[in-house]
Amino acid sequence: GQNIDQPTEMTATEGAIVQINCTYQTSGFNGLFWYQQHAGEAPTFLSYNVLDGLEEKGRFSSFLSRSKGYSYLLLKELQMKDSASYLCAVKDSNYQLIWGAGTKLIIKP
Amino acid sequence: DTAVSQTPKYLVTQMGNDKSIKCEQNLGHDTMYWYKQDSKKFLKIMFSYNNKELIINETVPNRFSPKSPDKAHLNLHINSLELGDSAVYFCASSQGVGGAEEQFFGPGTRLTVL
């Protein structure tokens, strides 16, 4: 079966750095996405990785290792508004998105 | 300008009723989706349409029927609503189904079945 694993919840301090991990087992791979979802709102796109390595976009970076079936989302200089759920999703061989259950990130002052 | 819109935002109804949720996108995208997000926040794909044709139809009770009158609209009709149908339903769209195509989500419809 297809599986995406990420921690259920993480806590971090304002101004700090946090890394949210995602491991996946899918039938084929056509890219990995990270989405942010604030409580009561829709998911919004953060990043896309298809090749190994680090993609940096402002305070957010996403890393991919296809051989290890592993990705992480790195958030720097955390702000209170970063409190949200972060969803990892992988496109399989049929280009269908397989979603993780999300990691709820709590930021404390 | 709203990119992906859904109506209604909230829907409270009795068991056994039939209801519809409407979705429209003004992004010119070819592909649209319906997702169900349950209380555990897990997003589950229900249907996907590409240029008005059904391309993904996951294991969903046949009480759920999508309809795409044109590629900008994908509506969801639910017959004989059950308690377990209570969830947030998200519509989404993407330019296509290729690898890098990100999905844009509507604001969601919170369905509560009493």
Side-chain angles (χ1 to χ4, degrees):
Chain A
Q2 308 204 87
N3 198 44
I4 310 279
D5 284 319
Q6 37 180 148
T8 304
E9 188 174 296
M10 297 181 71
T11 302
T13 305
E14 192 177 13
I17 299 173
V18 72
Q19 177 175 312
I20 302 173
N21 295 326
C22 169
T23 57
Y24 62 89
Q25 290 176 308
T26 55
S27 54
F29 179 83
N30 279 298
L32 184 144
F33 293 78
W34 284 96
Y35 279 76
Q36 180 189 60
Q37 186 177 23
H38 285 101
E41 298 183 10
T44 54
F45 170 79
L46 284 178
S47 68
Y48 171 73
N49 294 68
V50 68
L51 299 175
D52 289 354
L54 189 69
E55 294 277 345
E56 296 185 81
K57 193 186 289 187
R59 294 188 298 114
F60 293 6
S61 304
S62 56
F63 172 83
L64 175 67
S65 169
R66 288 172 297 171
S67 62
K68 295 181 179 176
Y70 168 71
S71 172
Y72 67 73
L73 181 69
L74 192 71
L75 293 75
K76 301 176 185 175
E77 300 169 17
L78 284 168
Q79 301 175 10
M80 297 302 292
K81 68 177 182 179
D82 297 330
S83 291
S85 287
Y86 291 86
L87 309 174
C88 174
V90 172
K91 273 200 181 174
D92 67 10
S93 56
N94 294 321
Y95 292 95
Q96 182 172 338
L97 260 183
I98 310 301
W99 293 83
T103 298
K104 182 178 180 181
L105 178 63
I106 299 167
I107 310 294
K108 295 187 174 179
Chain B
D1 268 353
T2 304
V4 183
S5 59
Q6 294 178 228
T7 54
K9 190 168 174 62
Y10 299 95
L11 188 50
V12 181
T13 189
Q14 299 286 335
M15 265 198 317
N17 284 350
D18 303 339
K19 290 293 178 186
S20 291
I21 308 172
K22 295 187 175 182
C23 177
E24 176 181 2
Q25 54 95 4
N26 62 7
L27 297 168
H29 287 167
D30 288 338
T31 311
M32 295 185 72
Y33 312 82
W34 274 111
Y35 285 94
K36 178 180 180 181
Q37 189 172 45
D38 59 25
S39 57
K40 295 182 180 178
K41 306 303 180 187
F42 188 62
L43 262 176
K44 183 178 177 182
I45 183 74
M46 299 175 71
F47 303 102
S48 175
Y49 271 70
N50 189 55
N51 273 319
K52 301 195 302 175
E53 290 202 15
L54 183 66
I55 56 171
I56 294 174
N57 185 2
E58 290 298 304
T59 307
V60 175
N62 58 14
R63 298 182 294 104
F64 290 79
S65 53
K67 284 188 172 53
S68 182
D70 55 62
K71 73 174 193 177
H73 296 84
L74 180 62
N75 303 323
L76 183 66
H77 189 76
I78 316 170
N79 287 329
S80 304
L81 277 156
E82 300 177 357
L83 292 177
D85 298 332
S86 295
V88 180
Y89 292 83
F90 285 103
C91 176
S93 74
S94 63
Q95 181 59 51
V97 296
E101 302 290 356
E102 66 180 271
Q103 294 182 13
F104 293 79
F105 285 78
T109 296
R110 183 173 295 275
L111 171 65
T112 303
V113 183
L114 304 174

